[in-house]
Amino acid sequence: MCRRGRGSPTGGGPGFRCCGRGSLTATHDLSRAESKVIAPAYTSSKAALTMLTTQYAKALTDIRINAADPGYTATGLNGNSGPQTVTEGTDAIVGLATEGPGHRSGRFVDRAGEIKWS
């Protein structure tokens, strides 16, 4: 998932669609849905995207590189079993794409705000 590139009036840059299933914190917190998922290939790929985001953010300092977790969203892919709408699932991505200058790079966000990387 990419945001507006260099030269954008909002100073945006590329971003990645990640999820909490790649987070050590989320997968160890028994109160979170992520802790109940056993999907080694999927979760390790999301953890790798998290690291890729931090590496690009450090290397490409003239643009912001961030990752967004859309959350478990009702779509045809999951039989519409997600608890939130597609519109709610885009909140984090739209928020990153439209935020103004002055925000940090290397962040991981969901619709509620910034998420810890660990």
Side-chain angles (χ1 to χ4, degrees), residues 31-116:
S31 70
R32 294 185 58 131
E34 292 91 337
S35 70
K36 294 153 185 58
V37 174
I38 300 173
Y42 182 79
T43 55
S44 62
S45 74
K46 294 305 179 179
L49 261 182
T50 298
M51 183 53 68
L52 188 60
T53 300
T54 64
Q55 293 300 301
Y56 278 139
K58 290 188 326 188
L60 303 171
T61 58
D62 57 334
I63 58 175
R64 287 194 315 260
I65 309 288
N66 292 299
D69 178 357
Y72 190 34
T73 301
T75 65
L77 186 64
N78 61 27
N80 294 306
S81 61
Q84 65 183 22
T85 67
V86 171
T87 300
E88 291 170 324
T90 64
D91 287 350
I93 297 165
V94 170
L96 284 172
T98 59
E99 68 185 3
H103 295 276
R104 288 186 0 268
S105 189
R107 294 176 295 143
F108 183 26
V109 301
D110 66 10
R111 65 188 309 246
E114 199 160 329
I115 301 170
K116 288 184 179 182

Side-chain angles (χ1 to χ4, degrees), residues 10-34:
T10 61
F16 298 101
R17 184 202 165 276
C18 294
C19 80
R21 292 182 187 159
S23 163
L24 295 175
T25 300
T27 57
H28 285 91
D29 181 346
L30 298 180
S31 70
R32 294 185 58 131
E34 292 91 337

